[in-house]
Amino acid sequence: MIIRGILFSLFAAGTLWADDSQGIRSAAEQQARLVAAGQQGDISVEADPVDSSNLPPCNRLEAYTPPNTRSIGRIHVGIRCIEGANWNILVPVRISVIAEYITTRRALIAGRTLQAGDLNRQRGDLGRLPAGTVLSPEQAVGKVLRNSVGAGQPLRSNQLQAPLVVRQGQNVRVVSQGPGFAVKADGKAINNAASGELVRVRMPTGKTVSGIAQEDGSILLQN
């Protein structure tokens, strides 16, 4: 993030004075465009008005991104004087990204496996939507809702989970593999799991082992 500020400083042309409020806003907006780089959609940035009348004159400004700054929505960009004075301010900036996102076509209950017909495409400012809003149907179709959702609601990734391939209490095939060999045995799953998730299995001997759930419902032991 500091590198971004340094890059901006290197490319800034001419002298920017502290009483040039528009110059400070422009610097903040240019930095915000760097922050938003990589976002999919139509990007626009707008800094709030700046009152620089109480700031000492500055021969050169540097814009930087504070730690833990989001890359969308309402943020703050740092502007500091690095030549001629010593001050540091934060300028509020809104990063708008106009793009498609996914909403529910109808009210949906928890546990439903989503189909394409359950979803709508909308277009709007992603910066005004909840974090993790789903941007394409492919991210949602086939996933299971963790909680019920009303009609017309933006769909979030944390509301979705992959379908279960193993359920608690289910008899499962446990597989242990190594160079040139594979050993299989039966056990009983202790917890639910989607493909790729960790499953604990109780073997007939009473021993508990852990492995990764596979698409076919078998459990691959961790070696």
Side-chain angles (χ1 to χ4, degrees):
M1 293 180 179
I2 294 176
I3 292 176
R4 288 178 177 166
I6 293 172
L7 287 174
F8 177 80
S9 177
L10 290 175
F11 286 101
T15 299
L16 294 174
W17 295 90
D19 59 357
D20 183 359
S21 298
Q22 185 54 47
I24 293 176
R25 288 187 69 195
S26 296
E29 289 175 348
Q30 289 186 51
Q31 183 69 12
R33 290 187 184 95
L34 291 177
V35 173
Q39 291 286 340
Q40 301 299 311
D42 299 325
I43 300 172
S44 63
V45 301
E46 183 177 7
D48 284 4
V50 176
D51 180 5
S52 61
S53 59
N54 294 323
L55 295 176
C58 180
N59 296 329
R60 185 166 181 164
L61 301 177
E62 178 184 67
Y64 66 95
T65 307
N68 304 316
T69 298
R70 295 179 62 197
S71 60
I72 192 171
R74 189 78 166 169
I75 70 167
H76 286 85
V77 170
I79 303 291
R80 57 194 167 205
C81 182
I82 59 173
E83 185 179 319
N86 182 22
W87 50 258
N88 189 344
I89 63 173
L90 293 176
V91 179
V93 182
R94 172 165 288 282
I95 300 175
S96 296
V97 179
I98 307 302
E100 283 192 345
Y101 62 95
I102 301 303
T103 64
T104 53
R105 182 170 292 179
R106 59 182 68 86
L108 302 171
I109 63 172
R112 179 179 177 84
T113 300
L114 293 176
Q115 307 297 322
D118 296 325
L119 311 174
N120 272 333
R121 294 177 186 265
Q122 299 285 345
R123 188 171 177 82
D125 184 359
L126 302 185
R128 298 183 183 275
L129 297 174
T133 295
V134 174
L135 303 183
S136 69
E138 293 75 18
Q139 294 176 291
V141 171
K143 299 289 181 66
V144 177
L145 276 175
R146 296 180 184 272
N147 56 278
S148 297
V149 184
Q153 297 298 306
L155 200 60
R156 306 190 309 273
S157 57
N158 63 4
Q159 294 175 309
L160 307 177
Q161 64 181 14
L164 298 178
V165 295
V166 173
R167 294 185 180 275
Q168 183 179 5
Q170 175 183 334
N171 291 324
V172 292
R173 177 60 56 89
V174 178
V175 180
S176 177
Q177 294 181 337
F181 76 89
V183 177
K184 300 178 181 179
D186 293 327
K188 190 178 293 289
I190 296 176
N191 59 282
N192 296 331
S195 177
E197 293 183 340
L198 186 68
V199 186
R200 297 176 64 228
V201 180
R202 181 172 290 109
M203 305 304 292
T205 61
K207 180 181 178 181
T208 298
V209 298
S210 297
I212 302 300
Q214 307 299 298
E215 286 284 354
D216 63 0
S218 63
I219 311 301
L220 183 62
L221 290 185
Q222 297 177 304
N223 296 321

